[in-house]
Amino acid sequence: MKRTLYVVIPCYNEEEVLPETTRRLAGKMASLMERGLISVKSRVALVNDGSKDRTWELICACHRDNPLFCGIDLSKNRGHQNALLAGLMTVKEHADMVISMDADLQDDIDAMDEMVLKYLDGCDIVYGVRNKRKTDSFFKRVTAEGFYRVMNFLGANTVFNHADYRLMSRRALEGLESFGEVNLFLRGIVPMIGYRTDTVLYERSERFAGESKYPLKKMISFALEGITSLSVKPIRFITGLGFLVFLASLVMFVYILVRFFTGNTVTGWSSVAASVWLFGGLMLLALGVVGEYIGKIYLEVKHRPRFIVRSFLHDQEQEEQEKR
């Protein structure tokens, strides 16, 4: 029995690249169907994440012209991770497996073939891993690789050089659905699901058109989101630092007492000023880290919806067949 594949693509202001993306995906899906790897019921779901350009208009046009393409329109911009989750959860009941990827064509769509084969071989999750970054600038390559190393060092375990290009089975998606975090970091959550996993290596290409949605500032914010959502190591570092400072203060206390009883005390503002600045900075840093976690708790306990789907453009004939 042929398996149904859905490809989920979050889109935010992607009108420049979307025509080429849909053209290439149509060819790839047709190829997979001809080879008998996927069912003719397979689809591509384009998720509009509150775009300000003509992205949704183009998605609607794609759906009218070709039933291969579905459209999911979110009520407002929710961010890449929430838009991706919205797409995964919306198509979960229609698919046996789902591949998520970005719209910019930097992920090699030819790697989908090997992902599907590994799924048919029994894998529930297949990660697309970049084996080269030739097209990235030196700065981009260093910061991106540093991003993964820092994340793993601070306890947010991720797959090195893997973004959001992955295949997940319906069983894996049901496992993902059980994670109720409002602060989403899918690159760290998906490895927690378990089940049999594998990787597919591919070479990262240049963005076909448009601008990157992850400049340095947003990447740093994304890293902080992942670290504080998945790990308590930063708080433990502060605890350890506080213990070391406490030991140092005991040593200084003994030193001051010795100087006092030997009559060698020297008054001066330098040591006092340095101590005030040092401990003041440490306390502000500690408050900032703890405040970040408290902010996460504040958002989590509200249980607000992570996304709201305004409309879902889907093949009605296919829906009726599935209900039968």
Side-chain angles (χ1 to χ4, degrees):
M1 179 181 176
K2 296 178 182 177
R3 301 295 183 175
T4 302
L5 167 68
Y6 269 66
V7 181
V8 173
I9 304 177
C11 303
Y12 177 68
N13 294 344
E14 298 288 2
E15 67 175 352
E16 294 182 55
V17 73
L18 207 52
E20 181 64 17
T21 301
T22 53
R23 185 188 69 80
R24 294 190 191 184
L25 280 172
K28 172 55 61 179
M29 296 293 281
S31 173
L32 291 171
M33 291 176 189
E34 289 172 4
R35 293 172 58 190
L37 295 179
I38 62 175
S39 165
V40 293
K41 296 180 181 179
S42 300
R43 296 290 183 267
V44 176
L46 304 167
V47 185
N48 178 43
D49 184 23
S51 299
K52 299 177 182 178
D53 60 4
R54 296 178 56 252
T55 295
W56 180 241
E57 295 177 31
L58 293 176
I59 292 174
C60 292
C62 287
H63 175 69
R64 286 194 302 268
D65 297 339
N66 188 345
L68 173 69
F69 294 100
C70 304
I72 301 171
D73 188 26
L74 302 187
S75 61
K76 59 171 291 187
N77 177 258
R78 301 295 299 179
H80 179 272
Q81 296 291 280
N82 285 289
L84 177 54
L85 183 70
L88 295 175
M89 294 299 104
T90 302
V91 306
K92 176 172 62 70
E93 299 302 324
H94 304 281
D96 296 303
M97 53 181 159
V98 177
I99 292 178
S100 59
M101 63 184 299
D102 292 335
D104 55 17
L105 295 176
Q106 288 189 289
D107 297 326
D108 183 11
I109 64 172
D110 289 330
M112 290 169 56
D113 301 62
E114 193 174 350
M115 286 183 175
V116 172
L117 289 172
K118 287 183 181 292
Y119 164 80
L120 295 175
D121 191 44
C123 291
D124 283 285
I125 303 173
V126 183
Y127 299 104
V129 176
R130 303 161 184 165
N131 61 349
K132 296 178 182 178
R133 287 181 173 269
K134 291 182 178 179
T135 57
D136 290 346
S137 65
F138 175 77
F139 179 76
K140 174 67 174 178
R141 184 166 60 252
V142 170
T143 54
E145 292 181 353
F147 166 84
Y148 292 103
R149 291 191 173 93
V150 170
M151 292 285 291
N152 289 334
F153 175 73
L154 292 177
N157 295 321
T158 59
V159 178
F160 187 73
N161 266 340
H162 163 72
D164 289 299
Y165 188 25
R166 69 179 75 88
L167 178 146
M168 299 180 69
S169 67
R170 181 184 294 183
R171 181 168 69 161
L173 289 173
E174 289 171 349
L176 176 62
E177 189 176 22
S178 65
F179 288 79
E181 286 97 328
V182 173
N183 302 283
L184 279 180
F185 188 76
L186 293 176
R187 300 180 196 184
I189 293 175
V190 172
M192 296 181 184
I193 297 172
Y195 297 131
R196 181 180 170 186
T197 66
D198 206 338
T199 60
V200 170
L201 298 177
Y202 70 95
E203 188 169 344
R204 181 178 172 84
S205 304
E206 293 183 2
R207 184 180 176 88
F208 181 79
E211 298 180 354
S212 172
K213 304 301 185 296
Y214 274 96
L216 179 61
K217 180 180 179 181
K218 194 168 184 179
M219 183 176 287
I220 293 174
S221 176
F222 190 52
L224 290 174
E225 178 76 22
I227 293 166
T228 54
S229 297
L230 300 171
S231 172
V232 295
K233 270 193 175 182
I235 288 183
R236 289 176 179 169
F237 283 152
I238 288 178
T239 303
L241 181 60
F243 182 72
L244 291 175
V245 171
F246 174 70
L247 291 179
S249 66
L250 290 179
V251 173
M252 286 300 297
F253 180 70
V254 173
Y255 173 74
I256 290 170
L257 285 179
V258 171
R259 297 274 296 190
F260 176 77
F261 286 112
T262 57
N264 294 320
T265 57
V266 178
T267 58
W269 65 269
S270 299
S271 59
V272 175
S275 299
V276 170
W277 281 102
L278 173 63
F279 290 110
L282 289 175
M283 285 189 289
L284 287 174
L285 174 63
L287 285 173
V289 173
V290 173
E292 186 72 24
Y293 280 93
I294 292 174
K296 290 287 189 299
I297 296 170
Y298 173 74
L299 293 174
E300 291 290 343
V301 298
K302 286 178 176 292
H303 297 294
R304 288 175 174 171
R306 292 172 289 187
F307 57 85
I308 297 175
V309 176
R310 177 158 45 194
S311 60
F312 179 29
L313 303 179
H314 197 231
D315 187 356
Q316 297 297 325
E317 181 180 347
Q318 180 189 351
E319 288 184 349
E320 293 175 2
Q321 291 176 354
E322 289 174 349
K323 290 178 182 177
R324 294 172 191 168

